Amino acid sequence: MKLFTRRPGRRPTPKVAKRLGIVGGVMISALVLMAVFAPLLAPYDPTERVGAPFQPPSAEHWLGTNDVGQDLLSELIYGARVSLTVGIVAAIVALILGTTVGVLAGYYPKRLGKVLMQSVDVILILPFLPLLIVLAAYLGRSLLNTIVVIGVLIWAGPSRVIRSQVLSLRSREYVLASRTMGAPDRWAIVRHVLPRTALLATGTFVRAVSTAILLEAALSFLGLGDPLQKSWGSILFWAQSRGAFLTPAWKWWVLPPGLMIMIASLGFALVAFAMEERINPRL
Amino acid sequence: MKKRIAIPILLLCLALVAAACSSDTDDATTTTGGDGGSSDTTTTTEGMTEASVLRAAITGDEDTINPYTYISGFPGWNLLMMQYDSLMQLDANGEPQPWLAETVTTNEDLTVWTLKIVDGVTWHDGEPLTAEDVEFSLEYFMEKATGRFSRDLSSVEDVTSDDTTNEVVITLGATNPSFDLVALADVPIIPEQVWAEIDTPGEATYDISTNVGSGPYMLVEYEAEQFYRFEANPDYFRGAPQVDELVVVVFADDSGALAAIRSGEVDVNFERVSPEQIDLLAGQGGLEIAQGPEFTTQMINFDASKAPFDDLAVRKAMSLAIDAQDIVDTVFLGAATVGSPGWVHPDKAVYNPAVQPEFDPAAANAMLDDAGYADSDGDGVREYDGEPMAFELITNSSDSLRLRIAELTAEMLAEIGMDITVASVETATWEEAVWPGFDINNGRNYDIATWGWSAPIQANTIRVAELVNSDPSIGFLNLTGFSNPDVDTLSAALLTEADEAAFETGIMELQQLIADNVPFVMLAYPDGAYVYNADVYSDYEFIAGQGIVSKLSFLPDSARP
Amino acid sequence: MRRIGLKNLDRYLLVFVVAVSLNFLLPRLMPGNPLALIAGVDVGLMTPDERAEIITAVGLDEPLLTQFIDYWKAVLTFDLGFSYKSGRPIVEMITERLPWTLLITVGSLMVSAVIGIVLGGWSAWRRGKKTDLSMLTGMISLQSLPSFWLGMLLISVFAVQLGWFPSFGAETPASSYEGMARVGDILEHAILPIVTLTVLSIPGVYMTMRYSMLEVLGSDFIRTARAKGASERRVLFGHVARNAIAPVVTFLAIRFAFAFGGSVIIETVFSYPGLGRLIFEAVSGRDYPVMQAAFLVFTVAVIVANLVADLLYPVLDPRMRVE
């Protein structure tokens, strides 16, 4: 359940953390470049049938073709677009929800805060994957639904982290000062609280992207995403539903998209790790 | 540091590469793919014709498999009929032949059916099976709803039996030319001594002791969600079965059943295998494929009651633009029959061979140009009534083959200037759009949709009237809102046509009318393909439209009709 | 401590209420024919009369509030209804499936606990050294593995290509294995799913153990013990490990809840007949009563795991006990 437990790595020297962060950054940049320049990099249009179905790798199709003869390498390259977009947009949804709830709950810890935190607890305890599947089943398949379902289910963790930060900021002098001066709460929040939670929020955001990428892949794999969107998860969905992983085709159809998902998720996880090490004064 | 990150990934990759290399030898034999599944794998020369125990796979439990408990139409009904007999039995061509009834005679207008029951047939418990049992069975099903069998008999007005002559006379309320197919070859005959005591079959609890039939197999053991054990009935009236014991193993899903037949844990799969598996399985060990025509359909529906689909030119153009052969080759890898635009499967006796699928995008474009659907703003999409011809094609996400059909259809319709977006939705949403409330009087909420009918509609050819007649009481499955006066008159008349020759002429004409007026676009009839281990048993009979799961597959050749 | 436990009990009750209400509301809020959602696949073939009968039988013609109250009554009396697909009582289906899910989740948790605790402890002991850092990096990488993909690869490599393990199911179907032979058969089938779940659980245990160890290593009483001249080994096993283990056990209880939910994916990949597979089958077969019941069982399992974690913590942590 705890998607956002703090990485408790104590004292791996900050230099190491920084290096790991750089490695993660390189991985992310490579994927983003691949997504942006997909039309230049991909040998074919991934939606076009350019060969016979179920072809093994050849000079024309380095990773072979899928069940209707679309080029798997092109699908893989274009897949970066959907996977990264879903990951990032879902994380933005989670960030907005999580920050709003976290800041409100931290700034008004009495009644509102209690109610909000209670609902956060409920969401954190509900069985996550089964709920994700049940929701996706009812909502139907589209990219938007995938994003909404993931975003709505992963905001609770970050909101808790942000709340505790706000709770401690709340009693700081500048906030107290602005309150005694009669400034409206909104002003104190925007002027003092938000900027000081920004770094923390960014850290949880990056980690949320890493989580969301994995979740999108899982949902698409189960056929609960939009199977006609070219994402890495949906490539694996077709590999599963047309039996490719029980044949030699797993080497060119199953292995590559999984590696891409792993690299994407890992890239964001490493950056998040590095950021947390920086934020967390314990180091 | 970079090196250290690389270590776990490298190790993983190494392991995978090692595994990949170790298997390079079998790639050559198993990678077939692209050339389609049309290679001839049906026939077998040196298979086994006798076995003491045969293990078959099904996916999903079928409860205790009596007429009131079996669950699925396939293979549940088929397993039911291993234990019971019907008055007539389908032969390999899917035509009903005398069975429990040794002769079937009818009056001129096909309202009175006289059946002579075979003498000397006994139930599994040794009691004789008589004409009275037949009368009891039909009346029992008519009184106590079972769904399928009650519906089969809905046209029956009266049943009488005479035990001395062993004859049964069935009187129908109206002419029903397909009564032999839909009722006599479908309804199991049940023993009075067992069922007379059961007043409310829908609420009774059963165990296997209820399953007394007259069929070639008797159910002797059942473990819920695990397996069924059937023993051969050595006294079967058509001759003792060639397989002494039939163990039907219940699997949770296809991949389990497939893995089991590959590893030799089962000898035959009673579920159809998907097209991409056909070439992969055939030739592995003793595995062979029995492949043949079946009567499920794949088609494209549109709302023909509204613009632009109310215009024949648009429907015709769509039908010309969709390459059904390409869909058969690409999606079904050849393991399907190309859809006839006249609805009727080419393997049916009443198929009209003059009605042939046409693929001609150029003609389709010309047709749309002539009808005034121009692309005035040059964006590649034609317009109608000032609107772009952009539509949503909805399909149910749980069916991955249909998703691919939708994808290919969209691609083909783009060639004639229609902008199609595929929307894959939950099955309930899809049904609700195409068939709101499962009642066509509620209208339609879709533009274009994938669709498919189950085998019984195709099996009984005249049911095409239900799909194309615009009178909701006849055409209660007319999901496209299609309406054409000629089609209406002819299809209604054929429903009660008693004369066989007249019916045949009429149904040929109807197929041409349907092809000309395009109530829907026919794509394909997917083949049935069943995998079995020929080293264990191979004498399966493929009944057209029904597949291999029937008692015929296990009876000696002399006993088959 | 007891007060905290009770306070959490309120929260768990709330979770339960929310889960049950979600179950009730979702099928009624969604677009589409509620009849199709509730009566399953064969609605299309029914006559209007048959449909009306079902609507009355299920109580869809009652006011929403009455339906809601009836729903609660049914849930509280464990009357989970019948599957629309097989017609079997859902309680029976769940009791059949539950043991399999428990086998692979508990099995993998035990293995990953041992490996995670050993590696985590070792890592903390060698803090900042090469072994620590490379292990830490490795664990972060493992966390980014898509679980279903790992499962698919294990099947491709070890079941299909090498043929070492069966690729599906929990037992050889219709086999006549008894006694030890049956146990062996079950274990053979469980190994790949357990390996997959274990690989996914290890990083969490490792991280928790490592952090907890570092915390303890830095605390006063360890320094005292060292100052007293106790041997390194004695310090490690006698003091550090004992004190560091409490958060790990708590983590394991919560991880159990997570692995239990994660079984949805693992069991789908391995066609393993557990509860996760049941919920996925129900979703794809539109067997909504089964789907809802399975979701409810998942919720209860998660709540129980959290309760156990709450109750275990004070028992295990020696410092808590002293207080």
Side-chain angles (χ1 to χ4, degrees):
Chain A
M1 254 347 278
K2 289 209 175 132
L3 293 161
F4 290 87
T5 39
R6 281 164 302 164
R7 293 304 115 203
R10 191 170 144 111
R11 205 183 295 181
T13 54
K15 211 171 73 187
V16 173
K18 201 173 161 190
R19 276 193 199 160
L20 282 177
I22 291 171
V23 172
V26 170
M27 289 160 110
I28 298 172
S29 323
L31 289 175
V32 169
L33 285 176
M34 186 167 112
V36 172
F37 295 108
L40 297 177
L41 293 169
Y44 302 94
D45 176 349
T47 59
E48 202 182 326
R49 290 183 287 137
V50 290
F54 293 102
Q55 287 300 298
S58 62
E60 296 89 60
H61 307 286
W62 291 3
L63 293 178
T65 59
N66 71 4
D67 56 313
V68 288
Q70 295 160 338
D71 183 59
L72 277 167
L73 177 63
S74 306
E75 282 198 299
L76 196 71
I77 294 172
Y78 273 88
R81 292 187 160 189
V82 174
S83 300
L84 291 181
T85 309
V86 172
I88 291 170
V89 179
I92 290 175
V93 173
L95 176 74
I96 293 171
L97 273 172
T99 312
T100 313
V101 172
V103 167
L104 287 179
Y107 202 82
Y108 306 102
K110 293 271 166 57
R111 201 170 285 164
L112 180 65
K114 267 189 188 146
V115 172
L116 287 176
M117 279 304 110
Q118 200 118 48
S119 44
V120 166
D121 285 341
V122 168
I123 292 185
L124 282 178
I125 295 174
L126 278 174
F128 183 73
L129 267 173
L131 181 60
L132 192 71
I133 285 171
V134 168
L135 273 182
Y138 281 122
L139 283 176
R141 284 84 173 151
S142 78
L143 213 53
L144 188 67
N145 285 345
T146 309
I147 291 171
V148 169
V149 169
I150 295 175
V152 161
L153 287 182
I154 62 173
W155 62 269
S159 80
R160 228 189 205 178
V161 180
I162 290 167
R163 171 181 166 266
S164 49
Q165 170 97 348
V166 175
L167 214 51
S168 76
L169 286 174
R170 198 175 167 270
S171 47
R172 300 269 169 90
E173 287 136 34
Y174 40 83
V175 178
L176 290 176
S178 91
R179 298 177 92 184
T180 28
M181 282 190 296
D185 286 358
R186 213 179 328 133
W187 197 77
I189 290 176
V190 173
R191 181 77 180 78
H192 295 298
V193 176
L194 275 183
R196 287 178 174 81
T197 40
L199 192 60
L200 184 69
T202 318
T204 59
F205 165 75
V206 176
R207 186 160 291 285
V209 178
S210 167
T211 313
I213 287 175
L214 283 179
L215 289 177
E216 186 275 333
L219 269 186
S220 298
F221 165 74
L222 290 174
L224 297 170
D226 181 348
L228 294 181
Q229 287 285 348
K230 304 288 177 191
S231 79
W232 297 322
S234 73
I235 298 177
L236 290 168
F237 163 79
W238 287 106
Q240 157 102 344
S241 72
R242 304 293 308 252
F245 77 120
L246 297 175
T247 72
W250 68 267
K251 277 166 267 167
W252 54 87
W253 194 339
V254 175
L255 202 56
L259 280 177
M260 300 308 282
I261 297 168
M262 190 177 162
I263 292 170
S265 174
L266 182 59
F268 284 99
L270 289 176
V271 171
F273 178 77
M275 290 182 75
E276 280 154 13
E277 297 300 290
R278 241 191 86 189
I279 297 160
N280 209 322
R282 280 179 304 124
L283 289 181
Chain B
M1 222 27 244
K2 272 171 206 160
K3 223 187 267 169
R4 282 191 200 102
I5 302 169
I7 289 171
I9 301 175
L10 250 179
L11 280 179
L12 182 73
C13 293
L14 274 179
L16 294 169
V17 168
C21 292
S22 72
S23 65
D24 277 347
T25 40
D26 27 281
D27 284 9
T29 50
T30 47
T31 315
T32 39
D35 58 353
S38 51
S39 54
D40 183 17
T41 43
T42 314
T43 50
T44 155
T45 44
E46 282 173 81
M48 303 288 286
T49 54
E50 261 177 60
S52 54
V53 183
L54 187 78
R55 291 157 306 166
I58 59 171
T59 56
D61 193 74
E62 292 287 348
D63 210 328
T64 53
I65 326 192
N66 76 47
Y68 285 88
T69 56
Y70 81 92
I71 289 161
S72 69
F74 179 94
W77 176 83
N78 306 60
L79 291 173
L80 175 76
M81 299 313 279
M82 296 274 187
Q83 315 160 66
Y84 295 89
D85 283 303
S86 43
L87 294 161
M88 299 182 84
Q89 166 69 41
L90 298 186
D91 64 12
N93 300 319
E95 300 293 334
Q97 301 296 343
W99 197 252
L100 260 188
E102 60 186 18
T103 57
V104 178
T105 49
T106 62
N107 66 345
E108 185 81 340
D109 65 352
L110 303 179
T111 51
V112 180
W113 297 65
T114 308
L115 312 150
K116 164 77 176 69
I117 308 301
V118 176
D119 292 317
V121 179
T122 55
W123 296 106
H124 295 155
D125 61 7
E127 298 282 323
L129 186 157
T130 62
E132 206 193 315
D133 282 310
V134 176
E135 182 190 343
F136 170 82
S137 303
L138 302 184
E139 282 166 353
Y140 195 85
F141 290 135
M142 284 152 65
E143 265 166 45
K144 303 173 204 286
T146 66
R148 177 166 177 160
F149 306 130
S150 311
R151 229 173 330 218
D152 289 348
L153 299 168
S154 57
S155 61
V156 176
E157 212 150 66
D158 182 51
V159 185
T160 57
S161 67
D162 181 344
D163 261 4
T164 52
T165 58
N166 224 7
E167 272 186 356
V168 178
V169 177
I170 304 170
T171 313
L172 306 183
T175 301
N176 185 351
S178 49
F179 186 69
D180 53 352
L181 182 76
V182 298
L184 299 182
D186 199 71
V187 177
I189 300 306
I190 54 176
E192 185 171 3
Q193 70 269 24
V194 174
W195 290 88
E197 290 157 26
I198 302 171
D199 283 333
T200 45
E203 285 156 32
T205 49
Y206 299 97
D207 57 42
I208 58 173
S209 70
T210 314
N211 293 38
V212 176
S214 59
Y217 285 94
M218 305 178 274
L219 181 61
V220 292
E221 197 183 354
Y222 164 52
E223 287 283 346
E225 308 229 324
Q226 292 186 40
F227 67 90
Y228 298 85
R229 194 186 302 279
F230 295 94
E231 261 175 27
N233 170 9
D235 304 321
Y236 189 55
F237 80 103
R238 301 279 300 201
Q242 303 180 104
V243 173
D244 300 336
E245 191 178 310
L246 194 58
V247 178
V248 177
V249 185
V250 181
F251 287 83
D253 58 16
D254 293 342
S255 48
L258 277 179
I261 197 152
R262 280 162 170 256
S263 65
E265 287 168 85
V266 296
D267 312 313
V268 57
N269 190 352
F270 277 176
E271 309 280 350
R272 301 175 186 99
V273 299
S274 50
E276 70 273 9
Q277 294 294 335
I278 294 176
D279 278 1
L280 286 173
L281 289 169
Q284 282 208 342
L287 298 189
E288 297 195 8
I289 304 279
Q291 192 175 336
E294 291 200 341
F295 293 156
T296 57
T297 40
Q298 293 291 348
M299 56 216 278
I300 297 290
N301 278 5
F302 28 64
D303 185 348
S305 67
K306 70 174 188 205
F309 308 105
D310 56 352
D311 185 348
L312 177 58
V314 173
R315 299 201 302 269
K316 189 78 194 165
M318 286 173 72
S319 139
L320 284 171
I322 296 174
D323 186 355
Q325 183 68 53
D326 189 8
I327 287 174
V328 166
D329 291 342
T330 307
V331 179
F332 296 98
L333 302 172
T337 306
V338 173
S340 159
W343 166 260
V344 177
H345 193 290
D347 278 38
K348 299 287 291 184
V350 292
Y351 167 68
N352 183 349
V355 178
Q356 285 294 330
E358 280 177 84
F359 168 62
D360 191 345
N365 270 314
M367 196 174 275
L368 289 176
D369 288 342
D370 292 346
Y373 298 95
D375 173 17
S376 53
D377 52 7
D379 62 351
V381 180
R382 294 172 186 276
E383 287 99 41
Y384 72 102
D385 304 343
E387 299 262 342
M389 289 182 101
F391 305 101
E392 205 176 59
L393 195 178
I394 61 169
T395 186
N396 60 326
S397 50
S398 57
D399 188 332
S400 57
L401 291 186
R402 222 175 246 157
L403 260 165
R404 288 304 198 199
I405 290 179
E407 194 182 5
L408 264 59
T409 304
E411 186 187 311
M412 292 164 181
L413 292 180
E415 299 295 317
I416 58 164
M418 292 176 79
D419 177 18
I420 307 294
T421 320
V422 176
S424 78
V425 296
E426 230 282 310
T427 309
T429 317
W430 168 71
E431 282 173 349
E432 187 62 15
V434 180
W435 196 2
F438 303 102
D439 181 349
I440 60 153
N441 293 310
N442 295 337
R444 290 155 295 277
N445 303 313
Y446 72 102
D447 296 322
I448 310 178
T450 59
W451 194 254
W453 290 108
S454 56
I457 313 239
Q458 177 69 248
N460 182 10
T461 310
I462 191 50
R463 290 197 72 176
V464 67
E466 294 166 9
L467 307 182
V468 295
N469 200 294
S470 65
D471 173 357
S473 67
I474 297 173
F476 64 93
L477 303 179
N478 184 349
L479 303 187
T480 62
F482 169 79
S483 166
N484 176 285
D486 298 337
V487 171
D488 283 354
T489 321
L490 184 54
S491 60
L494 287 176
L495 274 175
T496 52
E497 178 57 68
D499 182 62
E500 209 171 313
F503 177 81
E504 208 161 295
T505 325
I507 200 83
M508 298 277 170
E509 197 187 324
L510 184 60
Q511 290 174 57
Q512 189 63 56
L513 272 178
I514 289 173
D516 291 344
N517 290 289
V518 201
F520 34 67
V521 179
M522 291 296 296
L523 301 175
Y525 319 96
D527 280 350
Y530 302 84
V531 58
Y532 61 90
N533 190 334
D535 294 342
V536 180
Y537 183 76
S538 64
D539 200 15
Y540 298 96
E541 180 91 56
F542 196 105
I543 299 182
Q546 292 258 341
I548 62 161
V549 191
S550 82
K551 59 181 73 135
L552 297 195
S553 283
F554 303 104
L555 294 178
D557 287 346
S558 58
R560 302 182 188 184
Chain C
M1 212 41 232
R2 169 154 300 174
R3 248 194 66 225
I4 291 174
L6 272 181
K7 207 165 149 194
N8 284 342
L9 206 61
D10 298 350
R11 183 197 300 168
Y12 299 142
L13 262 178
L14 187 64
V15 173
F16 186 68
V17 171
V18 170
V20 173
S21 308
L22 268 180
N23 260 342
F24 173 80
L25 283 175
L26 279 175
R28 288 167 176 82
L29 288 179
M30 292 303 153
N33 189 342
L35 189 62
L37 291 182
I38 285 164
V41 223
D42 287 328
V43 191
L45 304 172
M46 294 176 183
T47 63
D49 286 346
E50 283 171 320
R51 279 179 223 150
E53 211 168 284
I54 287 191
I55 289 180
T56 328
V58 186
L60 272 181
D61 50 349
E62 306 265 357
L64 213 58
L65 190 66
T66 322
Q67 289 183 42
F68 190 60
I69 293 169
D70 287 348
Y71 188 79
W72 266 102
K73 274 187 201 154
V75 167
L76 293 179
T77 52
F78 295 105
D79 174 11
L80 297 177
F82 294 86
S83 155
Y84 282 115
K85 259 212 148 161
S86 68
R88 301 180 58 213
I90 295 173
V91 174
E92 198 182 298
M93 296 170 80
I94 284 175
T95 43
E96 254 171 41
R97 302 293 192 107
L98 195 57
W100 295 120
T101 304
L102 287 176
L103 172 69
I104 57 168
T105 43
V106 173
S108 74
L109 223 54
M110 277 162 32
V111 181
S112 57
V114 173
I115 300 177
I117 287 173
V118 170
L119 292 185
W122 186 28
S123 205
W125 195 244
R126 316 269 310 157
R127 165 186 41 168
K129 305 258 169 55
K130 267 186 180 173
T131 26
D132 177 34
L133 294 175
S134 48
M135 246 195 276
L136 192 61
T137 326
M139 291 296 168
I140 299 177
S141 312
L142 278 190
Q143 278 182 324
S144 298
L145 266 182
S147 54
F148 61 91
W149 180 66
L150 180 62
M152 282 169 100
L153 285 186
L154 290 178
I155 292 178
S156 299
V157 176
F158 293 103
V160 180
Q161 301 232 314
L162 300 174
W164 293 353
F165 300 103
S167 62
F168 71 96
E171 278 187 274
T172 305
S175 67
S176 47
Y177 293 134
E178 299 215 18
M180 282 318 286
R182 180 156 183 236
V183 172
D185 186 48
I186 290 175
L187 281 182
E188 207 176 54
H189 283 81
I191 281 179
L192 288 184
I194 288 181
V195 167
T196 314
L197 277 174
T198 302
V199 169
L200 298 172
S201 294
I202 287 176
V205 183
Y206 164 90
M207 295 284 185
T208 317
M209 181 63 189
R210 180 175 175 278
Y211 178 45
S212 172
M213 276 280 282
L214 290 176
E215 196 105 290
V216 177
L217 282 170
S219 58
D220 294 340
F221 76 103
I222 297 297
R223 259 172 260 142
T224 320
R226 273 184 172 156
K228 275 199 242 160
S231 75
E232 283 288 286
R233 180 172 298 216
R234 216 189 119 73
V235 173
L236 177 59
F237 291 107
H239 298 274
V240 185
R242 237 185 77 212
N243 285 295
I245 215 95
V248 179
V249 174
T250 317
F251 174 82
L252 283 174
I254 291 167
R255 177 71 212 180
F256 166 77
F258 191 71
F260 204 69
S263 68
V264 177
I265 290 178
I266 301 303
E267 289 176 2
T268 304
V269 173
F270 287 97
S271 305
Y272 204 79
L275 207 55
R277 173 87 200 155
L278 184 70
I279 201 172
F280 183 72
E281 278 168 23
V283 167
S284 39
R286 288 199 297 142
D287 199 339
Y288 290 89
V290 174
M291 181 171 106
Q292 295 177 1
F295 179 65
L296 213 57
V297 175
F298 275 113
T299 312
V300 172
V302 170
I303 291 175
V304 170
N306 275 283
L307 261 176
V308 169
D310 286 353
L311 293 174
L312 272 183
Y313 196 85
V315 181
L316 283 165
D317 193 338
R319 282 163 294 179
M320 283 277 214
R321 240 178 311 169
V322 176
E323 282 163 32

